[in-house]
Coordinates of all heavy atoms in Angstrom, one line a residue:
G20 N -1.2 -9.0 -3.6 CA -2.1 -8.1 -4.5 C -3.6 -8.3 -4.2 O -4.0 -9.3 -3.5
A21 N -4.3 -7.4 -4.6 CA -5.8 -7.3 -4.6 C -6.3 -6.5 -5.8 O -5.4 -6.0 -6.6 CB -6.3 -6.8 -3.3
Q22 N -7.5 -6.2 -5.9 CA -8.1 -5.8 -7.2 C -7.4 -4.3 -7.5 O -7.5 -3.5 -6.4 CB -9.6 -5.7 -7.1 CG -10.2 -5.2 -8.4 CD -11.7 -5.1 -8.4 OE1 -12.3 -5.0 -7.3 NE2 -12.3 -5.3 -9.5
V23 N -7.0 -4.1 -8.6 CA -6.8 -2.7 -9.1 C -7.8 -2.3 -10.1 O -8.4 -3.1 -10.9 CB -5.3 -2.7 -9.7 CG1 -4.3 -2.9 -8.6 CG2 -5.2 -3.7 -10.8
K24 N -8.1 -0.9 -10.1 CA -8.9 -0.4 -11.1 C -8.2 0.7 -12.0 O -7.1 0.9 -11.7 CB -10.1 0.3 -10.3 CG -10.9 -0.7 -9.4 CD -11.9 0.1 -8.6 CE -12.6 -1.0 -7.7 NZ -13.6 -0.2 -6.9
Q25 N -8.9 1.2 -12.9 CA -8.2 2.1 -13.9 C -7.7 3.3 -13.0 O -6.7 3.9 -13.4 CB -9.2 2.6 -14.9 CG -8.6 3.3 -16.0 CD -7.6 2.6 -16.8 OE1 -8.0 1.5 -17.2 NE2 -6.4 3.1 -17.0
D26 N -8.5 3.7 -12.1 CA -8.0 5.0 -11.2 C -7.1 4.5 -10.1 O -6.8 5.4 -9.3 CB -9.3 5.8 -10.8 CG -10.2 4.9 -9.9 OD1 -10.0 3.7 -9.7 OD2 -11.2 5.5 -9.4
G27 N -6.6 3.4 -9.9 CA -5.7 2.9 -8.9 C -6.2 1.8 -8.1 O -7.1 1.0 -8.4
P28 N -5.6 1.5 -7.0 CA -5.8 0.4 -6.2 C -7.2 0.4 -5.4 O -7.7 1.5 -5.2 CB -4.7 0.4 -5.1 CG -3.7 1.2 -5.5 CD -4.4 2.2 -6.5
S29 N -7.8 -0.7 -5.3 CA -9.1 -0.9 -4.6 C -8.9 -0.3 -3.2 O -7.7 -0.3 -2.7 CB -9.6 -2.2 -4.7 OG -8.8 -3.1 -4.1
V30 N -9.9 -0.3 -2.3 CA -9.8 0.1 -1.0 C -9.1 -0.9 -0.2 O -8.1 -0.6 0.6 CB -11.2 0.3 -0.4 CG1 -11.2 0.5 1.2 CG2 -12.0 1.5 -1.0
V31 N -9.4 -2.3 -0.5 CA -8.7 -3.4 0.2 C -7.2 -3.3 0.0 O -6.3 -3.3 0.9 CB -9.3 -4.7 -0.2 CG1 -8.4 -5.8 0.2 CG2 -10.6 -4.9 0.3
L32 N -6.8 -2.9 -1.3 CA -5.3 -2.9 -1.7 C -4.6 -1.8 -1.1 O -3.5 -1.8 -0.7 CB -5.2 -3.0 -3.1 CG -3.8 -3.2 -3.7 CD1 -3.0 -4.3 -3.1 CD2 -3.9 -3.2 -5.2
R33 N -5.4 -0.6 -0.9 CA -4.9 0.5 -0.4 C -4.4 0.4 1.0 O -3.4 0.9 1.5 CB -5.7 1.7 -0.6 CG -5.7 2.4 -1.9 CD -6.2 3.8 -2.0 NE -7.6 4.0 -1.4 CZ -8.7 3.9 -2.0 NH1 -8.7 3.6 -3.3 NH2 -9.9 4.1 -1.4
Y34 N -5.2 -0.3 1.8 CA -4.9 -0.7 3.1 C -3.5 -1.4 3.2 O -2.7 -1.0 4.0 CB -5.9 -1.5 3.8 CG -7.2 -0.8 4.4 CD1 -8.4 -1.0 3.8 CD2 -7.0 0.1 5.4 CE1 -9.5 -0.4 4.3 CE2 -8.2 0.8 5.9 CZ -9.4 0.5 5.3 OH -10.5 1.2 5.8
R35 N -3.3 -2.3 2.2 CA -2.1 -3.1 2.3 C -1.0 -2.1 1.8 O 0.2 -2.2 2.5 CB -2.1 -4.2 1.3 CG -3.3 -5.2 1.6 CD -3.4 -6.3 0.6 NE -4.5 -7.2 0.9 CZ -4.8 -8.3 0.3 NH1 -4.0 -8.8 -0.7 NH2 -5.9 -9.1 0.6
L36 N -1.2 -1.4 0.9 CA 0.0 -0.5 0.3 C 0.3 0.6 1.3 O 1.5 0.9 1.5 CB -0.4 0.1 -1.0 CG -0.5 -0.9 -2.1 CD1 -1.3 -0.3 -3.4 CD2 0.8 -1.3 -2.6
D37 N -0.6 1.0 2.1 CA -0.3 2.1 3.1 C 0.5 1.6 4.3 O 1.3 2.3 4.8 CB -1.6 2.7 3.6 CG -2.3 3.7 2.6 OD1 -1.7 4.0 1.6 OD2 -3.6 3.9 2.7
A38 N 0.1 0.3 4.6 CA 0.9 -0.4 5.7 C 2.3 -0.6 5.1 O 3.3 -0.4 5.9 CB 0.3 -1.7 6.1
A39 N 2.5 -1.1 3.9 CA 3.9 -1.2 3.3 C 4.6 0.1 3.2 O 5.7 0.2 3.7 CB 3.7 -1.8 1.9
Y40 N 3.9 1.3 2.8 CA 4.5 2.5 2.7 C 5.1 3.0 4.1 O 6.3 3.4 4.2 CB 3.5 3.5 2.2 CG 4.0 5.0 2.3 CD1 4.9 5.5 1.3 CD2 3.6 5.8 3.4 CE1 5.4 6.8 1.4 CE2 4.1 7.1 3.4 CZ 4.9 7.6 2.5 OH 5.4 8.9 2.6
D41 N 4.3 2.9 5.1 CA 4.7 3.3 6.4 C 5.9 2.6 6.9 O 6.8 3.1 7.4 CB 3.5 3.0 7.4 CG 2.4 4.0 7.2 OD1 2.6 5.1 6.6 OD2 1.3 3.7 7.7
Y42 N 6.0 1.1 6.7 CA 7.0 0.3 7.1 C 8.3 0.7 6.2 O 9.4 1.0 6.9 CB 6.8 -1.1 6.9 CG 7.8 -1.9 7.5 CD1 7.7 -2.5 8.9 CD2 9.0 -2.3 6.9 CE1 8.8 -3.2 9.5 CE2 10.0 -3.0 7.5 CZ 9.9 -3.5 8.7 OH 10.8 -4.2 9.3
L43 N 8.3 0.9 4.9 CA 9.3 1.3 4.0 C 9.9 2.6 4.4 O 11.2 2.8 4.4 CB 9.0 1.3 2.6 CG 8.6 -0.1 2.1 CD1 8.0 0.0 0.7 CD2 9.8 -1.0 2.0
V44 N 9.1 3.7 4.8 CA 9.6 4.9 5.3 C 10.4 4.8 6.5 O 11.5 5.4 6.6 CB 8.4 5.9 5.4 CG1 8.9 7.2 6.1 CG2 7.8 6.2 4.1
E45 N 10.0 4.0 7.4 CA 10.6 3.8 8.8 C 11.8 2.9 8.6 O 12.7 2.9 9.5 CB 9.6 3.3 9.8 CG 8.5 4.3 10.1 CD 7.5 3.5 11.0 OE1 7.6 2.4 11.4 OE2 6.4 4.3 11.3
N46 N 12.0 2.0 7.6 CA 13.0 1.2 7.5 C 13.5 1.2 6.1 O 13.3 0.5 5.3 CB 12.5 -0.4 7.7 CG 11.9 -0.5 9.2 OD1 12.6 -0.8 10.0 ND2 10.6 -0.3 9.3
P47 N 14.4 2.2 5.9 CA 14.9 2.5 4.5 C 15.8 1.4 3.8 O 16.0 1.5 2.6 CB 15.7 3.8 4.6 CG 16.0 3.8 6.1 CD 15.0 3.2 6.8
D48 N 16.2 0.3 4.5 CA 17.1 -0.6 3.8 C 16.2 -1.8 3.5 O 16.7 -2.8 2.8 CB 18.1 -1.1 5.0 CG 19.1 0.0 5.2 OD1 19.4 0.8 4.3 OD2 19.6 0.0 6.3
T49 N 14.9 -1.8 3.8 CA 14.1 -2.9 3.5 C 13.6 -2.8 1.9 O 13.3 -1.8 1.4 CB 12.7 -3.0 4.3 OG1 13.2 -3.0 5.6 CG2 11.8 -4.1 3.9

């Protein structure tokens, strides 16, 4: 985790979540 705001994840956290999203799309059993 990293900071979240009322309108969503901070820039730092979005980088993490986007990396997770890309991996989860490519690896559907994870």
